Amino acid sequence: MKKTYILSALVAMALSSGMTSCSDVDIPDTPAASKVENLTSEVDGRTVTLNWTLPQDETITGIQILRNGTVIETLEGPQTTCTLRKETPGTDVTYTVKIIYEDGRVSEGQTVHLDVVSNEKIAMLLPCPQAELTDDDEIATAKWFAEAYAEDGEMLTPDKVSVLDPDKYPVVWINIDREGLQIGWRNLPAEIVSDATIEALRSYVDAGGNVFLTKHATQLTVPLGFLDEKFAPGIFASGPGGEGGDIWSINCNIGLIYDHNDSELFRGLTTCDVFQYPTFPLIGPGWREDHNCMWDLNAYQYTAEGENTVEKFQNENHCTVMATWGQVVDFAVGGMLDFESVNGRGRCVANGLAAYEFYQPGGNQYQANVERLSRNCLDYLNK
């Protein structure tokens, strides 16, 4: 009873003093933010193009693009179009466009629904038709690719390079691994280094196409514009090979400082205990060809700064040294490089390590690592 009396008294005091509820307080309306209008869309495989019109006489500082409710792009200024490449395939994907105003307001969005369907293929560029290959490693590599990418891969020969379009072929793999070659990219198979083929490949990379270069093909980093001629691979061999009883592995912890073991390029590879640190074995005892085509980082003159030759090489060439010979723990040798995209050009992974060999007479106990590394590199470049 006492509590009831006190509460009643408080209510009476509030009424007598003229207090009002919060619902009686006037709150000024916030001006509605005008939306985009006439939103249209075009889809070509994994390329989505959005177009819209903007309201007049508004101070617009940016545009938000949302995919399925998540912001994926923010454009500066009053833009009226956006092209999104390499979108994740899906059915009934929603794209929403919102306006950002100078005063911080963000408009409601206008939305379109699309089906994004991948029609891309990873390409392997051979110097000749597959049936005409003569080197056992090139034959084995092409055979594995044809089987592993039967649904989403395509073999091309130099007479077909004119069809190369990054939107249709986001990655091109070139593998040259044969006996008797002389050092220098101009000494690669004539069909691969003809003026027409190099021009087509260079245009493809300039347009955003990505390349995977393996073994002797790492020399193409020069004509395709990833490296200046003075940084061409200098560790080179193309001899007949021989018998060996050891394991050839690769070390991805460069100088035991720059650790790339967890990179997606090496995901799923098994390690071995040949050394006091983990390395990835690629070929076991048996007959092997010592076909390196890689970089002696101590042999170059640098203008870029860096704590060591690895940093200087990386800073000068917009790349990362991802792997070296298994036994190397200093900064002397680059065996596998990952080049970043510069000014919209495509990316490149170049692997010139001898341990990366697709065919070993009698079988390779680490063949699964060779194949997994190949798939990892292609998938990485296809993102």
Side-chain angles (χ1 to χ4, degrees), residues 3 150 209 228 243 253 261 316 371 382:
K3 290 181 179 179
D228 188 271
E243 193 77 24
N253 187 1
N261 282 296
E316 190 139 341
E371 295 174 2
N382 193 34

Side-chain angles (χ1 to χ4, degrees), residues 46 86 88 118 120-123 144-145 148-150 152-153 170-173 210-214 263-269 336 338 347-349 356 370-383:
R46 290 173 61 186
K86 300 191 73 64
T88 302
S118 175
E120 299 174 346
K121 289 183 179 288
I122 293 175
W144 175 81
F145 176 83
Y149 289 87
D152 51 358
V171 187
V172 173
W173 182 9
N210 306 307
V211 290
F212 181 36
L213 305 176
T214 53
S263 166
E264 59 190 291
L265 293 175
F266 310 114
R267 184 176 299 148
L269 272 66
M336 182 173 173
D338 178 15
R347 296 174 293 138
C348 170
V349 172
Y356 178 78
V370 173
E371 295 174 2
R372 182 61 185 260
L373 177 59
S374 304
R375 183 177 285 278
N376 285 352
C377 292
L378 293 170
D379 290 348
Y380 169 76
L381 290 167
N382 193 34
K383 293 173 65 175

Side-chain angles (χ1 to χ4, degrees), residues 83-105:
T83 297
L84 305 164
R85 300 184 182 278
K86 300 191 73 64
E87 283 294 277
T88 302
T91 302
D92 195 28
V93 181
T94 63
Y95 289 90
T96 303
V97 179
K98 297 183 178 183
I99 301 173
I100 304 171
Y101 289 96
E102 187 177 40
D103 59 7
R105 290 176 299 153

Side-chain angles (χ1 to χ4, degrees), residues 169-217:
Y169 301 95
V171 187
V172 173
W173 182 9
I174 306 175
N175 176 70
I176 306 296
D177 184 3
R178 58 182 64 180
E179 294 181 22
L181 285 179
Q182 298 299 306
I183 191 172
W185 68 266
R186 295 172 182 83
N187 295 317
L188 292 170
E191 301 87 351
I192 291 291
V193 296
S194 71
D195 290 345
T197 302
I198 292 298
E199 182 180 353
L201 288 171
R202 182 71 181 249
S203 297
Y204 167 78
V205 171
D206 287 344
N210 306 307
V211 290
F212 181 36
L213 305 176
T214 53
K215 303 305 288 275
H216 296 132

Side-chain angles (χ1 to χ4, degrees), residues 56-74:
Q56 300 297 315
D57 303 323
E58 296 276 7
T59 307
I60 296 170
T61 59
I63 302 293
Q64 279 186 351
I65 310 296
L66 298 85
R67 185 183 195 273
N68 292 338
T70 300
V71 177
I72 59 171
E73 194 88 31
T74 301

